[in-house]
Amino acid sequence: MVPFLTEEVWQLLARLAPERGLPAPQTAAASVMIAPWPEVQAEHQDAAIEARFARFQAVLGGLREIRSRQNIPPKQPLRAWIRCDHHTADQLRPMEPYFESMAGVATVAWGPEVPPPALCATASLPAAEIFVDLQDFIDVDAEIARQTKEQHKIVALIAGKEKQLADQRFVSRAPAAVVERERASLAQLAEQLAAVRAALVELRKGP
């Protein structure tokens, strides 16, 4: 079905814009099936925008994952606090309307010193920690179980990276960039572990 629909759209476009394309419009092929494959224009690529959108996707995915995990209906409004560095906050704060329209979540605060709500569900991302206020929705026991499982997973990852970095053969033979990347990854995992442990402390306190 899709190939036929695509061809129909192509033919309709041919009537409206027989010459199209970037950077300079050209006469389009008679059929999409024989049209040349589009070529990427390097001048149209923007690494900064792509990185910003990747962060947006990660946070959006984290918000949706929390909603799904807690079985909260899509139309139920939620509030979230995002702990991240100032650069990430500046990049994503202008996109708040999209988080609200695409995930049903209003973001309350952004930044490195954002305190989590008293009772919340969390998602740990490489560039941010997400805290969603679930005072009226959270299954505390289920969230404790999930966070405990996440804690064990991160501890195992940390142990593996520490063992690798303690191996002098690896450190001496691997390219410096690879070693530095592993050290940065280890530091990132340590931050995620601290966030998970803090969340467990809050969950065990109760409301």
Side-chain angles (χ1 to χ4, degrees):
M1 178 65 74
V2 173
F4 297 102
L5 291 174
T6 305
E7 182 64 29
E8 181 66 18
V9 170
W10 186 269
Q11 296 302 325
L12 290 173
L13 279 173
R15 298 177 198 170
L16 298 172
E19 293 187 356
R20 55 188 185 272
L22 294 172
Q26 297 179 351
T27 301
S31 169
V32 70
M33 292 185 290
I34 59 173
W37 194 258
E39 295 183 4
V40 175
Q41 303 295 322
E43 62 270 24
H44 295 156
Q45 293 180 301
D46 190 320
I49 290 178
E50 290 180 4
R52 180 184 183 188
F53 189 70
R55 289 190 177 96
F56 167 76
Q57 285 182 305
V59 173
L60 181 66
L63 293 169
R64 287 174 169 173
E65 190 271 333
I66 289 174
R67 182 184 289 278
S68 174
R69 184 203 316 155
Q70 297 297 326
N71 295 315
I72 299 173
K75 293 185 179 180
Q76 177 65 52
L78 296 173
R79 299 190 305 159
W81 286 250
I82 314 296
R83 182 182 293 163
C84 57
D85 58 39
H86 291 295
H87 176 65
T88 299
D90 291 341
Q91 283 193 322
L92 297 185
R93 192 180 289 109
M95 305 177 83
E96 286 180 337
Y98 300 105
F99 290 115
E100 193 156 1
S101 64
M102 299 175 72
V105 179
T107 50
V108 178
W110 299 80
E113 305 299 329
V114 169
L119 193 58
C120 63
T122 68
S124 298
L125 306 174
E129 293 291 328
I130 301 173
F131 307 101
V132 174
D133 185 5
L134 296 181
Q135 181 71 42
D136 299 327
F137 311 102
I138 195 169
D139 181 337
V140 176
D141 291 337
E143 184 63 13
I144 288 175
R146 191 195 73 82
Q147 292 283 11
T148 300
K149 183 178 179 180
E150 182 71 8
Q151 178 180 237
H152 293 329
K153 175 184 174 182
I154 295 174
V155 167
L157 289 172
I158 288 175
K161 289 194 178 293
E162 286 179 338
K163 182 178 180 180
Q164 184 180 43
L165 290 169
D167 185 346
Q168 291 304 312
R169 289 178 299 177
F170 167 75
V171 174
S172 62
R173 295 177 182 177
V178 172
V179 175
E180 186 58 33
R181 185 170 64 243
E182 291 302 308
R183 286 173 176 159
S185 177
L186 178 60
Q188 195 172 77
L189 285 169
E191 292 177 1
Q192 291 181 26
L193 180 60
V196 168
R197 285 175 171 169
L200 281 169
V201 169
E202 293 300 321
L203 286 166
R204 286 167 178 151
K205 286 180 181 178

